[in-house]
Amino acid sequence: MIEEVGPGVTSVAPGDRVIFGFIPACGRCPSCSTGHQNLCDLGMYMGAGMQVSDHTARHHLGGQDLNLMCMLGTFAERTVTNEANCIKIGDDIPLDVACLLGCGVGTGWGAAVNTGEVAAGDTVVVVGVGGIGINAVQGAALAGAERILAIDPVGFKRQKALEFGATHTAADWDSGFDLLQELTRGRLANVVINTKGVGEGADIAAALRLAGKRGKVVVTNLHKATEATVAMSALDLVLMEKQVRGSLFGSSNPRADIPRMLDLYRNGKLKLDELATHRYKLEELNQGYDDMRAGRSLRGVITF
């Protein structure tokens, strides 16, 4: 809920209910103006954690400036942010549900629908069923995929994937490949979406192995910044016309896509209530991280 606005703010007002998009969207830069709000030029300042308006801090501790994760600082009851991060929502959506759309839902759903361009009848593989992958699963299902194979070593997550639209599951790359060959009579996948926690260079070759002719590999999970080498067969790219595509925030336009996903939720077509497997008080934050690392949750929500 917006409490106060500063001079020059025009898109939100006190009393507005908003959620934060983790990437700001100015609406005016070349990326925004051509329908790529996820690549807004303001995103270059995310790592600095200061205000995009003047690159100074609004949060302090003992006289020391604080840098905020994605310029938001959401582990707090109140924060100060730029209107470029604020997306207005209706009065009918609970905030502890709507908040899920600020990152994980749009990133996973968009990786399937926008970047992967999943079409009716497609075969889709989602590698890693966490807070992003589970939404890639339901995005692929909503787009009309005929087969959705979810690969994850954690049994709890494989079961959840089936509840969110997956038709088959596997515990690892190799068993997933064998199952995929059987299901498609060797044609393999139209779209493979990498959504595991932290990617490794070898994952690209493993994903390309699962992709069939003209298959798309969508890389939406982060890799280490120091990683400079990935494994793949360039000949395979040429002879089979396979593609590797990067996906940031699901290649989405949050000001258009988030309201659209809220409509899908209202109509019972997008699962949001079921995503929040745990809710925590702020002082239980470390337990939330432990549950995430142990594979006991899809998404955790902090309530104040």
Side-chain angles (χ1 to χ4, degrees):
M1 182 81 70
I2 299 292
E3 291 190 357
E4 298 180 34
V5 299
V9 175
T10 59
S11 61
V12 293
D16 284 346
R17 300 170 82 250
V18 302
I19 59 175
F20 294 144
F22 83 98
I23 297 177
C26 71
R28 297 179 298 275
C29 70
S31 294
C32 284
S33 62
T34 54
H36 305 284
Q37 294 174 9
N38 64 310
L39 297 174
C40 177
D41 286 355
L42 293 180
M44 74 175 77
Y45 303 117
M46 288 172 57
M50 295 293 179
Q51 294 295 312
V52 296
S53 56
D54 60 8
H55 312 300
T56 62
R58 300 293 186 275
H59 301 70
H60 314 276
L61 180 64
Q64 180 180 358
D65 291 345
L66 298 181
N67 301 73
L68 306 183
M69 176 66 179
C70 295
M71 303 177 292
L72 294 175
T74 54
F75 292 161
E77 294 181 1
R78 290 177 174 83
T79 190
V80 179
T81 191
N82 193 278
E83 63 181 319
N85 288 97
C86 297
I87 300 164
K88 292 172 64 172
I89 64 171
D91 295 334
D92 60 319
I93 306 294
L95 291 173
D96 63 343
V97 172
C99 68
L100 295 165
L101 292 166
C103 179
V105 175
T107 299
W109 188 87
V113 175
N114 297 328
T115 319
E117 299 176 310
V118 173
D122 276 356
T123 296
V124 178
V125 180
V126 177
V127 184
V129 188
I132 295 174
I134 195 68
N135 293 295
V137 167
Q138 65 172 335
L142 193 56
E146 181 180 354
R147 305 177 192 86
I148 303 172
L149 170 61
I151 299 177
D152 198 287
V154 179
F156 164 75
K157 293 188 176 183
R158 294 197 299 274
Q159 178 58 42
K160 286 297 181 181
L162 294 172
E163 296 174 15
F164 278 74
T167 58
H168 301 81
T169 65
D172 53 53
W173 294 100
D174 289 337
S175 60
F177 177 76
D178 293 340
L179 177 57
L180 190 62
Q181 278 197 313
E182 179 183 345
L183 291 172
T184 64
R185 299 180 182 178
R187 303 301 294 181
L188 302 177
N190 302 99
V191 183
V192 181
I193 307 172
N194 286 5
T195 52
K196 60 183 287 192
V198 178
E200 301 174 2
D203 294 342
I204 307 302
L208 283 167
R209 183 186 181 214
L210 299 174
K213 293 178 180 179
R214 295 192 59 80
K216 296 181 283 287
V217 171
V218 177
V219 183
T220 194
N221 58 291
L222 294 178
H223 285 240
K224 293 181 180 179
T226 56
E227 184 182 73
T229 303
V230 299
M232 69 169 66
S233 167
L235 184 62
D236 199 30
L237 291 179
V238 176
L239 297 184
M240 301 295 181
E241 288 198 1
K242 298 182 182 183
Q243 303 173 37
V244 178
R245 298 183 175 186
S247 181
L248 177 64
F249 204 177
S251 303
S252 66
N253 291 298
R255 298 196 186 285
D257 288 343
I258 287 178
R260 177 161 61 128
M261 286 186 282
L262 287 175
D263 281 341
L264 292 171
Y265 167 73
R266 290 184 180 98
N267 294 324
K269 296 180 179 179
L270 184 68
K271 296 179 184 292
L272 294 181
D273 298 295
E274 300 86 346
L275 271 179
T277 46
H278 297 83
R279 282 175 165 76
Y280 307 95
K281 297 179 181 178
L282 185 59
E283 57 269 24
E284 298 172 326
L285 178 62
N286 288 336
Q287 180 62 48
Y289 276 113
D290 289 342
D291 289 340
M292 179 184 69
R293 294 188 183 102
R296 293 189 291 261
S297 69
L298 294 177
R299 295 299 284 179
V301 174
I302 297 173
T303 58
F304 297 98

